[in-house]
Amino acid sequence: MAFTGYVFKTKEEVAQVAEVAGQGPTFRWCQRQARRLHCMVTCGYVEKAGVLLYNSMLVVGPDGELVLNPRKTFLYETDKSWATAGDGFCSWHCPWLNKTISFGICMDINPDDFKAPFSAYEFGSHAVDNKSDLLLFACAWNDFEEHDVAPYPTLSYWAQRLTPVIDALAAGDYAKPNCHFLCSNRIGSENGTFFVGASCALSLKEPAIVAHAGRRTEELLRVEIPGDASESE
């Protein structure tokens, strides 16, 4: 929800910024950037589908067309008051990258409702089952630390939640040479809620941090990973 914010007081406030998939101002921005840069663009937004609202992610191809619209499956307390849960994690084979991509939104990487066993690793298991090359993760991850300390505990937690992928790679049982976790997380604060930043690219084979942003700084990360699923590192 990059342009609208995430912390709302009422469902009515959220409804005012909701968009139909592939029709609203967020989509038009993504479309312009995708065509300008000849790349895939993803962006979180509030989706309106009839009377239902979803915490969703637009995935726009280089031609400016909407190719996918993943919906958040595991809701957090902040969006439980207005959002409808999606019907499951989403994976897709990107033809121009020749990579299988799994998409997650914030709470999706956590145990379901914080009640499921930690070891269920729902999102990580989904990545293994779908033989994913890339995990694209958009979030507004809360920050409970007042000082500008290094973001490594957050990065470590995200990696831990992907244990099924890491273990399969270590055992030589993963279907691909590697899997990369690419996270875009917001910084700053909104209505008293602070966000942790720490956008990152993680290689899960080692595992290792390829690049990461700080907790408080707005940054652009540019990283290179293998361009074809058949390549090894």
Side-chain angles (χ1 to χ4, degrees):
M1 298 164 62
F3 295 112
T4 62
Y6 175 59
V7 184
F8 296 92
K9 294 180 180 179
T10 66
K11 186 174 182 177
E12 289 70 28
E13 284 185 355
V14 186
Q16 291 177 7
V17 299
E19 308 173 28
V20 175
Q23 296 184 23
T26 302
F27 168 72
R28 290 192 290 272
W29 183 90
C30 292
Q31 186 177 60
R32 289 195 301 272
Q33 305 314 315
R35 288 173 174 170
R36 180 176 69 89
L37 299 170
H38 306 289
C39 70
M40 183 174 73
V41 174
T42 68
C43 189
Y45 77 113
V46 181
E47 179 194 356
K48 176 172 61 178
V51 298
L52 301 179
L53 300 176
Y54 296 91
N55 186 340
S56 300
M57 182 195 306
L58 294 166
V59 182
V60 180
D63 59 359
E65 296 299 315
L66 179 66
V67 295
L68 211 63
N69 186 60
R71 292 168 172 169
K72 187 177 183 181
T73 298
F74 294 166
L75 300 181
Y76 186 58
E77 59 186 30
T78 309
D79 48 23
K80 280 184 177 180
S81 63
W82 59 265
T84 298
D87 57 5
F89 303 131
C90 178
S91 289
W92 167 69
H93 185 79
C94 177
W96 59 85
L97 293 178
N98 191 27
K99 288 185 179 292
T100 298
I101 305 173
S102 293
F103 299 87
I105 301 175
C106 210
M107 181 68 188
D108 283 340
I109 203 170
N110 282 317
D112 186 9
D113 204 27
F114 293 119
K115 296 178 181 177
F118 191 89
S119 58
Y121 298 121
E122 298 95 329
F123 184 64
S125 297
H126 172 87
V128 173
D129 292 342
N130 285 271
K131 305 176 177 63
S132 301
D133 300 281
L134 298 173
L135 311 179
L136 296 191
F137 186 61
C139 58
W141 200 269
N142 289 3
D143 188 4
F144 301 101
E145 172 62 56
E146 295 182 359
H147 305 291
D148 190 13
V149 298
Y152 300 122
T154 301
L155 302 181
S156 178
Y157 177 79
W158 288 337
Q160 185 182 18
R161 293 299 303 161
L162 301 172
T163 291
V165 180
I166 294 171
D167 286 352
L169 284 165
D173 295 332
Y174 201 68
K176 303 294 176 62
N178 199 355
C179 181
H180 287 81
F181 174 76
L182 308 179
C183 169
S184 176
N185 188 42
R186 67 174 295 183
I187 61 170
S189 64
E190 180 187 352
N191 292 333
T193 298
F194 289 83
F195 302 96
V196 76
S199 295
C200 65
L202 305 180
S203 172
L204 300 181
K205 185 176 182 178
E206 295 82 4
I209 299 170
V210 179
H212 74 82
R215 298 175 73 100
R216 302 286 186 264
T217 52
E218 185 174 324
E219 300 180 41
L220 172 66
L221 298 180
R222 179 175 177 175
V223 299
E224 293 187 10
I225 59 177
D228 186 271
S230 64
E231 293 183 51
S232 60
E233 295 186 310

